[in-house]
Amino acid sequence: MTERDIIACIKRHEEKKTADLFAGIGDDCAVLRPSDNKVQLITCDSLIESVHFDLSWHPPELLGAKAVSVNVSDIAAMGGQPRFALLALGLSRGCENWLDSFLQGFEERLQDYQVRLIGGDTVNSKGGFMITVTVIGEMDKDKVCYRSGAREGDLVWVSGPLGEAAAGLEICRNAPGLKNSYPSLVSAHLSPEPRLELGGLLARSGLVHAMIDLSDGLATDLAHICGASGVGAEVFQKDIPFTREFTGLARELGLSAFDWALKGGGDYQLLFTTDPENREAVTRLAVGSHRTLYPVGRMVKGSGVILCDGENRQDITFQGYEHR
Amino acid sequence: MTERDIIACIKRHEEKKTADLFAGIGDDCAVLRPSDNKVQLITCDSLIESVHFDLSWHPPELLGAKAVSVNVSDIAAMGGQPRFALLALGLSRGCENWLDSFLQGFEERLQDYQVRLIGGDTVNSKGGFMITVTVIGEMDKDKVCYRSGAREGDLVWVSGPLGEAAAGLEICRNAPGLKNSYPSLVSAHLSPEPRLELGGLLARSGLVHAMIDLSDGLATDLAHICGASGVGAEVFQKDIPFTREFTGLARELGLSAFDWALKGGGDYQLLFTTDPENREAVTRLAVGSHRTLYPVGRMVKGSGVILCDGENRQDITFQGYEHR
């Protein structure tokens, strides 16, 4: 396959021009007209073979979908809507066989979120397959949720059970015989779901002080909110939400559920803070969106993240997954 | 170095927030306000170790500058102004030593073109160093120069001598002893100059029908214009501009100057077409900008690129450098 063959293959997956997209793939640049009265959100994430994924167990169509989802999750964490994507691919020998499946999964996930592929690059990579996706989103200026708005006294919330992706990775890597017993955990690793609708709902509600997506684990991502906001955080171990499958697997493998939940990356749940007075309002919002939101801690004076288990206090600041 | 160390290192190179940039590096997304009444130009290019560069001869500060320039060149080829950049880095062991030099060169070149670094990603890469840069530019909607506007009868122009970067690569790769004899050729490969000001001047002049930058060589990039515009092209061998250094090196090494000039990639000159009636006007424009612009052929009915040398006619369509 030459670069032109690959571009032709990608162009087959590309959507049509519209009133706000004058040129997509096939010129030196994509040309688009930004929406009036909106701000743009721009994010970029790389996935590297043997670091972030292993093709011996990652089906290419799910990898394509994941490459979209991890970027859409960053848009969700600010409360925005994704609009456009660019795909840079480093291709090593042998990938021709599954490139079409990868692109199929990539494109279907773009369509799920109504994102259009507008450009990118394809290059040879001697050191394995690499994927870099840039996503451009948009939203109303005064609704953007930054990491930096958390205040002392805020409640800390997560949008769902933690540790599932780390548990799924453990199964894929070290216990493949258990895949059929824990499909939801395996799926959480192979094809995570960005909480896009919820992120938008939370941002529009005006209740959220700070928000981030859980890509590197609670211990690290909450530390990012602390650092950006100039406050500390306490997490209450007893309040951390787990699924039954998750605790079942931890027991079966004799591994620590709390380690996965606090330090495992890749869940892509949303982590956010609100005024404690708005606890009821947040809960009602969750019910309206058929979600459960879980308060797991509070923001405090100081810095860093403390895990509280009864009287025991442990500093877990930045002890999450080193996402490289 | 952890990811946070690298981000801290990059943040040191980052510029301040401004009225149109609400958040740069350090949140889930960059947040910016696009300019009113402009379209955006978006481009993305990857450079991979052992494919696009070799660190044994490529000084890291020049590589950092080149990673900016190859993207700015795509903005120049549409006639726009670059505004913002994202940097995705795949880092392998040992790169800590020169990462700071790389970022220094990267940042200085961004400043040269008044581009601000607003985000990116850093990941481990077992297979060598990889760089993906996304650049966002802007311009007036009705001045954008696409590849698709060339018409039968148009003159084909290049913005300067060809083949220098390919010759410089040949020196770095196979004749390092000649580096000091041909510094301009070596520099054309290590640190190419995007023709940004000229691209803007040409676009604003309204004289240009189609434009592209010469990243893959005349034979391939002119074929792109032909394909997008639905016409063919003839290139006159006698009109292809060379520098004295370039022909001197070709003679010294016994290699074909025309091969380098037509098929070598990486020159980043601009290639464009105009109505032949505007030949004088284009030449005046060049004089005003202290450049020489060279007519090298014409667009004709049909498809593909023919090299004409007297009576000899040779099809060179897409025979340029496979830029992977």
Side-chain angles (χ1 to χ4, degrees), chain A residues 20-71:
Chain A
D20 57 353
L21 182 63
F22 304 128
I25 295 165
D27 215 306
D28 295 286
C29 300
V31 184
L32 60 89
R33 184 169 56 195
S35 300
D36 291 337
N37 306 316
K38 301 268 186 184
V39 292
Q40 276 184 328
L41 308 175
I42 305 179
T43 183
C44 169
D45 266 310
S46 297
L47 299 175
I48 309 286
E49 188 175 352
S50 308
V51 177
H52 299 97
F53 62 88
D54 187 321
L55 282 170
S56 68
W57 75 60
H58 216 133
E61 62 277 15
L62 295 187
L63 184 62
K66 184 169 181 170
V68 174
S69 297
V70 300
N71 281 282

Side-chain angles (χ1 to χ4, degrees), chain A residues 1-4 6 22-23 26-52 71 73-78 86-91 96 118-128 130 132 134 136 141 144-148 211-213 215-216 220 224 228 317-318 322-324, chain B residues 1-4 6 22-23 26-52 71 73-78 86-91 96 118-128 130 132 134 136 141 144-148 211-213 215-216 220 224 228 317-318 322-324:
Chain A
M1 269 182 151
T2 66
E3 179 167 12
R4 275 179 300 129
I6 295 166
F22 304 128
D27 215 306
D28 295 286
C29 300
V31 184
L32 60 89
R33 184 169 56 195
S35 300
D36 291 337
N37 306 316
K38 301 268 186 184
V39 292
Q40 276 184 328
L41 308 175
I42 305 179
T43 183
C44 169
D45 266 310
S46 297
L47 299 175
I48 309 286
E49 188 175 352
S50 308
V51 177
H52 299 97
N71 281 282
S73 182
D74 282 319
I75 302 283
M78 315 287 289
L86 294 94
L87 171 63
L89 284 178
L91 300 170
E96 294 85 351
I118 59 170
D121 196 14
T122 57
V123 293
N124 270 328
S125 162
K126 295 186 180 175
M130 42 149 273
T132 299
T134 303
I136 299 173
K141 180 191 166 189
V144 180
C145 293
Y146 296 95
R147 299 178 178 181
S148 53
M211 187 151 65
I212 190 172
D213 68 327
S215 56
D216 297 346
T220 285
H224 283 307
T317 308
F318 285 122
E322 178 76 14
H323 200 60
R324 299 176 56 194
Chain B
M1 270 182 149
T2 67
E3 178 166 13
R4 275 178 301 128
I6 295 165
F22 304 128
D27 216 306
D28 295 286
C29 300
V31 183
L32 60 88
R33 184 168 57 193
S35 299
D36 292 336
N37 306 317
K38 301 266 186 185
V39 293
Q40 275 184 327
L41 309 175
I42 305 178
T43 183
C44 169
D45 267 309
S46 297
L47 299 175
I48 309 286
E49 187 175 352
S50 307
V51 177
H52 299 96
N71 281 281
S73 182
D74 282 318
I75 302 284
M78 314 287 289
L86 294 96
L87 171 63
L89 284 178
L91 300 170
E96 294 85 350
I118 60 170
D121 195 13
T122 57
V123 293
N124 270 329
S125 161
K126 295 186 180 175
M130 42 149 271
T132 299
T134 303
I136 299 172
K141 180 190 165 189
V144 180
C145 294
Y146 296 95
R147 298 178 179 182
S148 53
M211 187 152 65
I212 191 172
D213 68 326
S215 55
D216 297 346
T220 286
H224 284 306
T317 309
F318 284 123
E322 178 76 14
H323 199 59
R324 299 178 54 194

Side-chain angles (χ1 to χ4, degrees), chain A:
Chain A
M1 269 182 151
T2 66
E3 179 167 12
R4 275 179 300 129
D5 294 334
I6 295 166
I7 291 172
C9 175
I10 290 173
K11 276 191 112 168
R12 282 202 303 275
H13 294 270
E14 179 210 14
E15 287 197 40
K16 299 278 170 289
K17 285 176 204 166
T18 54
D20 57 353
L21 182 63
F22 304 128
I25 295 165
D27 215 306
D28 295 286
C29 300
V31 184
L32 60 89
R33 184 169 56 195
S35 300
D36 291 337
N37 306 316
K38 301 268 186 184
V39 292
Q40 276 184 328
L41 308 175
I42 305 179
T43 183
C44 169
D45 266 310
S46 297
L47 299 175
I48 309 286
E49 188 175 352
S50 308
V51 177
H52 299 97
F53 62 88
D54 187 321
L55 282 170
S56 68
W57 75 60
H58 216 133
E61 62 277 15
L62 295 187
L63 184 62
K66 184 169 181 170
V68 174
S69 297
V70 300
N71 281 282
V72 167
S73 182
D74 282 319
I75 302 283
M78 315 287 289
Q81 276 298 319
R83 299 289 318 281
F84 303 104
L86 294 94
L87 171 63
L89 284 178
L91 300 170
S92 48
R93 270 168 204 276
C95 69
E96 294 85 351
N97 298 331
W98 49 260
L99 184 62
D100 212 63
S101 301
F102 171 85
L103 291 172
Q104 192 75 36
F106 185 83
E107 186 230 16
E108 283 175 12
R109 188 57 59 96
L110 287 182
Q111 284 184 351
D112 291 345
Y113 297 114
Q114 297 178 288
V115 178
R116 279 171 290 167
L117 183 62
I118 59 170
D121 196 14
T122 57
V123 293
N124 270 328
S125 162
K126 295 186 180 175
F129 187 42
M130 42 149 273
I131 310 153
T132 299
V133 177
T134 303
V135 170
I136 299 173
E138 65 180 24
M139 73 181 300
D140 296 331
K141 180 191 166 189
D142 58 352
K143 299 287 186 192
V144 180
C145 293
Y146 296 95
R147 299 178 178 181
S148 53
R151 303 171 202 165
E152 191 187 328
D154 274 4
L155 277 181
V156 177
W157 301 78
V158 295
S159 63
L162 302 186
E164 297 202 292
L169 175 60
E170 177 68 20
I171 291 173
C172 290
R173 203 177 257 165
N174 298 320
L178 296 177
K179 276 186 188 176
N180 292 334
S181 311
Y182 299 98
S184 66
L185 303 182
V186 173
S187 172
H189 167 65
L190 295 179
S191 189
E193 176 208 352
R195 274 65 184 187
L196 183 63
E197 201 180 326
L198 180 66
L201 197 68
L202 287 167
R204 286 192 302 276
S205 77
L207 297 169
V208 170
H209 290 170
M211 187 151 65
I212 190 172
D213 68 327
L214 281 165
S215 56
D216 297 346
L218 184 63
T220 285
D221 291 317
L222 186 49
H224 283 307
I225 286 184
C226 289
S229 301
V231 284
E234 292 175 345
V235 172
F236 306 117
Q237 184 162 318
K238 66 175 175 44
D239 293 335
I240 294 172
F242 296 144
T243 61
R244 186 182 301 227
E245 291 76 15
F246 176 80
T247 46
L249 177 73
R251 204 164 40 239
E252 185 162 353
L253 296 180
L255 294 170
S256 162
F258 285 107
D259 259 23
W260 279 338
L262 295 168
K263 302 177 183 175
D267 279 325
Y268 300 103
Q269 297 287 357
L270 295 174
L271 170 68
F272 59 97
T273 82
T274 70
D275 194 303
E277 287 189 0
N278 290 322
R279 186 178 186 130
E280 292 299 315
V282 173
T283 305
R284 277 198 304 275
L285 202 73
V287 171
S289 67
H290 306 287
R291 295 255 178 200
T292 309
L293 301 175
Y294 303 86
V296 296
R298 62 179 177 194
M299 305 308 291
V300 296
K301 196 181 288 234
S303 63
V305 182
I306 303 295
L307 178 66
C308 304
D309 177 20
E311 294 301 300
N312 286 331
R313 295 172 61 83
Q314 183 191 348
D315 187 339
I316 57 168
T317 308
F318 285 122
Q319 289 187 15
Y321 178 63
E322 178 76 14
H323 200 60
R324 299 176 56 194

